[in-house]
Amino acid sequence: MMKTKVIINILGAYLLLCSGSLFAQEVVEIDIIKFKFTPATITVTPGTTVRWTNREKRQYHNVWFEALGEEEPDYLFPEESYERVFENKGSFPYRCGPHPKMTGVVHVE
């Protein structure tokens, strides 16, 4: 009886660990460095989180989805990050407000 209980507990712990990894949300990283989004264009699946991190030493930037009618967001200072979950399919262009030549696109398929 004791042996069966231990096996059930081990099996339960294993299933709990596995289920956590099965439902873990994917995070895609984009670096902001040398006045560029790297990579500038990505393709993800619905439900993916995209994280932009400012890797500059002294420069501020932001991630602005202006085409969606959003207001310009706050700046990201060095080593700060911004995350966004993409639930719907489509193409989502963005740019840096203070540096309009910095652009990127998230494709959700």
Side-chain angles (χ1 to χ4, degrees):
M1 180 76 169
M2 182 68 161
K3 204 180 230 186
T4 304
K5 198 171 192 178
V6 170
I7 291 172
I8 291 172
N9 286 339
I10 291 172
L11 182 59
Y14 176 75
L15 290 173
L16 184 62
L17 285 172
C18 288
S19 67
S21 64
L22 288 175
F23 297 108
Q25 190 175 32
E26 182 182 4
V27 177
V28 175
E29 302 276 346
I30 296 177
D31 288 334
I32 303 170
I33 186 80
K34 297 182 181 177
F35 290 87
K36 293 180 183 173
F37 295 108
T38 307
T41 301
I42 61 169
T43 301
V44 300
T45 57
T48 300
T49 298
V50 179
R51 179 184 302 132
W52 290 264
T53 302
N54 184 352
R55 302 289 183 197
E56 302 280 10
K57 291 186 180 188
R58 293 178 191 86
Q59 187 59 53
Y60 60 87
H61 298 285
N62 65 16
V63 179
W64 186 10
F65 289 87
E66 183 179 23
L68 295 177
E70 297 179 358
E71 292 186 26
E72 185 173 357
D74 293 335
Y75 295 149
L76 297 174
F77 291 93
E79 297 309 316
E80 290 184 337
S81 296
Y82 166 72
E83 290 185 358
R84 185 178 191 124
V85 179
F86 289 86
E87 299 290 349
N88 300 316
K89 292 183 178 183
S91 292
F92 303 92
Y94 62 92
R95 71 179 186 96
C96 177
H99 311 104
K101 291 184 180 183
M102 289 176 58
T103 61
V105 180
V106 176
H107 299 287
V108 184
E109 298 179 348

